[in-house]
Amino acid sequence: MTGIVLGKGSGGRAAGGRPVGSTNALTKSLFIRTYGCQMNAYDSGRMADVMTPHGYRLVAEPADADLILLNTCHIREKAAEKTFSELGRLRQLKELRASAGRRTLVAVAGCVAQAEGAELQARAPFVDIVLGPQTYHRLPELVAQVERRAGAVLDTEFPAESKFDHLPDGSSASTASAFLAVQEGCDKFCTFCVVPYTRGAEYSRPPASILAEARALLSRGAVELVLLGQNVNAYHGAAGGETWSLARLIDALAELPGLQRLRYTTSHPLDMGDDLIARHRDCAKLMPYLHLPVQAGSDRVLTAMNRRYRRADYERLVERLRLARPDLALSGDFIVGFPGESDADFAETMDLVRRIGFAQAYSFKYSPRPGTPAAILPGQVPAPVKAERLAALQSLLAEQQRRFNAASVGLTVPVLFEGAGRRAGQSVGRSPHNQSVHVEASCPPGSIRPVRLTASLANSLSGRLAG
Ligand code: 5AD
Ligand code: SF4
C-alpha cells in the first residue's frame, strides 16, 4: 500500500501536501491512496492532474480531504481485501467529518472498481463514485454529478475513446525518474490473471502523444523514463500509415534532449522481438536491467497457465539477451502453487531459477481470482504447501539477490540520484542495474555521478562519490 503518488517513486510515501496550483478561488482537497502496480502509481498522478483545474490540491491525510480516492488493485485476493478494510476506516472518517459539517466524497478507482463495482456499492453504500481504469478522464464530471444530485455513480465502461486522449499531458510531478504509460491492457489471457478483464484489450498509445508527454516530463526535470504497460513489449503504436514497435519507440525517445536513461516494464517473453533484443546491445541509454516474468519452470504448469512458451524457450531467450548485453540483470515474477503443481513441477521452477540467476524477483502464492479459468481448475494446492514452496523459492531468490549485490561491491557505477536518503546528508539513487544506492553526500535529484560501491545490504548498496 502506498500513499498518493505523483509520477514515480511512491513506495510507502504518503504524498500530498504539495499544492498543485488551483485555478479556482474555492480550493478543495484531494487525498489519493494507491495500491498495487506502477501503472496504478502513474494513473494516480494523472487523476491528480485532471482534478487540478477544478480547484483540487493534494493533501497528505484523508482526514483533511474533501475527496478521497482509493486507486485499487485486484491482482491477488490480499490486494483486493485491502480496499475493503480501508473502506471500513473511511466510512467512520466520513461520518466524523459529516458530524463536523464537512462533506466528504469517497471514490474507488482501479481494478477492484472494475471487477467488483456492483459488490462494492452493495457492501459500501457510502462510496460515492466507482470508476474503472478506462474512465479516469471522466473523474471531474463524476465528481460534479455527485455534488449536484448527491447520489452515487458507477462508471466502469470500456469507452470507445481512449482516456489518454483526454487526460492532461504529462504528470505534473518533477521527479528525476518518471513513469510514462505507453501501452495498457492485455490480450494474453494467462489463466490465473484478471488483467485482461479489468484493464481490457491491449491498447498502444500513438507515438506522437507519448513523445509529447516525454518532452513535458523531461522539461520538468526527468532524466530517466520508465515506459509502462501491462504487456509493454507488445507495444504497436500507429504513426500515420506505420506501426511502431517498442524498439522503434525507444530509438525515438533516446534522441530527445535531456533523456539519459530508459527502462520498460512489464514484458512478456513471447513479445521479445529481435529488434528489442538488439536495442539492449545498441542503445546505450537503455539500462541493463529487464523485468521478464517467467511464472514457473515446469512445461506442464506453463501450458496450464496459457503462457504459450516452454521453459526451454525462456532459457534460449535469456541466452540471446545476454549475448546482446552480457551484463543484463534479470528480474522475474513467479507463482507457486498453481492448480495441479506437483512437487516435481515446483522443483523445475527452483531448477530454472538456479540456472538463470535473477538479480531481483517477485514471487507469489497462487491466488484464485473470480472469473479466471484457473480459479475453477481441479487440483487446487493446499495453503500450507503453497507457503512451504514460497518460502523455499524466496530464500533462493533472496540469496541470488544478495550475491548479485555483493558482486557489485568494488565497482564504480553511474548513479542517478532521485532524492534525499533517510539520514540527514544522505542521497539515494539507482545504479544502471536498478539497485538502490545511497551515499553520504548531497547530490541533486537528476544528477548522475560515478559512485564506488563499498558495501551491500539486504536490498541496497552503499557507496562513495568517485568524481
Ligand atoms: N495469483 C498469484 N499471483 C498472480 N499474479 C497475477 N495473477 C496472480 C494470481 N492470480 C502475479 C504474476 C504477475 C504479477 C504481476 O502478479 O506473477 O506477473
Ligand atoms: Fe496477466 Fe501478464 Fe498474463 Fe497479461 S501477460 S494475462 S497481464 S500475467
Side-chain angles (χ1 to χ4, degrees):
M1 183 173 79
T2 58
I4 171 36
V5 179
L6 281 176
K8 190 177 172 248
S10 59
R13 260 195 302 144
R18 186 183 62 84
V20 284
S22 127
T23 54
N24 260 352
L26 272 179
T27 300
K28 293 189 175 179
S29 43
L30 166 64
F31 175 85
I32 308 183
R33 196 181 289 295
T34 305
Y35 300 87
C37 62
Q38 294 160 320
M39 184 67 96
N40 268 11
Y42 173 84
D43 284 341
S44 290
R46 307 304 296 278
M47 283 190 275
D49 289 343
V50 86
M51 294 311 290
T52 304
H54 300 273
Y56 280 84
R57 69 179 178 84
L58 284 167
V59 291
E61 295 297 331
D64 300 331
D66 303 306
L67 172 60
I68 297 174
L69 176 65
L70 301 185
N71 192 5
T72 62
C73 174
H74 201 251
I75 197 93
R76 285 169 294 276
E77 194 181 354
K78 249 196 202 159
E81 272 169 6
K82 285 184 189 164
T83 303
F84 288 99
S85 41
E86 178 69 6
L87 281 173
R89 288 187 287 272
L90 290 184
R91 182 176 56 79
Q92 289 174 355
L93 180 65
K94 185 167 173 160
E95 285 166 6
L96 199 73
R97 278 175 54 95
S99 63
R102 289 187 297 173
R103 186 169 181 206
T104 315
L105 298 189
V106 175
V108 180
C111 292
V112 175
Q114 188 65 45
E116 297 188 40
E119 195 194 334
L120 240 163
Q121 287 190 309
R123 273 176 72 178
F126 67 94
V127 169
D128 302 284
I129 297 168
V130 174
L131 75 161
Q134 300 312 321
T135 55
Y136 293 158
H137 54 295
R138 295 183 185 163
L139 180 59
E141 181 189 319
L142 298 174
V143 169
Q145 243 182 64
V146 174
E147 280 174 340
R148 268 199 310 274
R149 59 180 177 86
V153 292
L154 176 133
D155 192 346
T156 50
E157 260 187 66
F158 286 104
E161 83 266 23
S162 158
K163 66 176 177 187
F164 293 113
D165 295 339
H166 296 271
L167 287 165
D169 226 3
S171 159
S172 58
S174 54
T175 48
S177 174
F179 289 140
L180 173 50
V182 304
Q183 180 276 341
E184 190 178 15
C186 182
D187 294 340
K188 292 286 188 294
F189 290 94
C190 299
T191 54
F192 52 80
C193 184
V194 288
V195 166
Y197 312 98
T198 57
R199 292 277 174 169
E202 246 177 64
Y203 168 78
S204 295
R205 287 177 75 183
S209 118
I210 295 168
L211 287 164
E213 186 167 335
R215 284 191 198 95
L217 289 163
L218 296 171
S219 74
R220 292 192 196 99
V223 291
E224 175 177 274
L225 296 177
V226 183
L227 311 182
L228 294 183
Q230 269 92 24
N231 211 172
V232 71
N233 59 341
Y235 177 82
H236 56 283
E242 287 184 298
T243 302
W244 285 29
S245 65
L246 187 65
R248 176 134 186 221
L249 184 65
I250 285 171
D251 286 342
L253 288 164
E255 295 287 310
L256 295 180
L259 192 275
Q260 304 287 341
R261 290 184 169 191
L262 275 169
R263 302 180 188 275
Y264 60 92
T265 194
T266 288
S267 295
H268 191 291
L270 218 57
D271 293 313
M272 212 65 220
D274 293 345
D275 57 351
L276 190 53
I277 295 174
R279 288 312 171 281
H280 282 279
R281 182 188 62 219
D282 302 329
C283 178
K285 292 183 179 175
L286 191 55
M287 290 294 101
Y289 175 89
L290 180 62
H291 184 63
L292 192 64
V294 60
Q295 311 296 358
S298 139
D299 285 342
R300 222 170 57 81
V301 172
L302 288 171
T303 303
M305 286 178 163
N306 191 32
R307 290 293 290 179
R308 298 190 251 172
Y309 53 81
R310 300 165 75 84
R311 170 191 168 152
D313 301 324
Y314 186 86
E315 288 179 341
R316 257 195 306 275
L317 176 59
V318 169
E319 231 172 74
R320 289 176 59 214
L321 280 158
R322 286 181 166 155
L323 217 58
R325 182 82 208 220
D327 66 336
L328 187 76
L330 275 181
S331 153
D333 286 346
F334 298 88
I335 295 177
V336 301
F338 185 81
E341 185 187 69
S342 65
D343 286 342
D345 291 321
F346 175 64
E348 294 237 32
T349 299
M350 294 291 277
D351 188 54
L352 175 75
V353 171
R354 280 188 205 100
R355 285 167 60 111
I356 297 281
F358 288 87
Q360 217 236 327
Y362 303 89
S363 47
F364 315 97
K365 291 182 219 167
Y366 168 69
S367 164
R369 307 311 293 130
T372 59
I376 50 166
L377 282 180
Q380 298 288 327
V381 174
V385 177
K386 284 187 200 170
E388 203 177 299
R389 289 180 188 164
L390 187 66
L393 176 61
Q394 289 189 336
S395 129
L396 175 61
L397 290 167
E399 176 54 28
Q400 292 194 339
Q401 183 172 357
R402 261 196 304 278
R403 257 189 279 146
F404 181 79
N405 285 343
S408 309
V409 172
L411 301 178
T412 298
V413 300
V415 170
L416 165 57
F417 286 96
E418 294 181 348
R422 287 217 184 97
R423 287 206 305 272
Q426 203 177 57
S427 301
V428 177
R430 297 223 161 243
S431 74
H433 287 134
N434 212 32
Q435 297 149 300
S436 174
V437 177
H438 58 263
V439 298
E440 304 298 322
S442 170
C443 304
S447 59
I448 298 178
R449 309 273 302 268
V451 172
R452 186 176 158 79
L453 301 171
T454 51
S456 71
L457 313 161
N459 292 311
S460 65
L461 290 148
S462 53
R464 268 196 299 273
L465 288 182

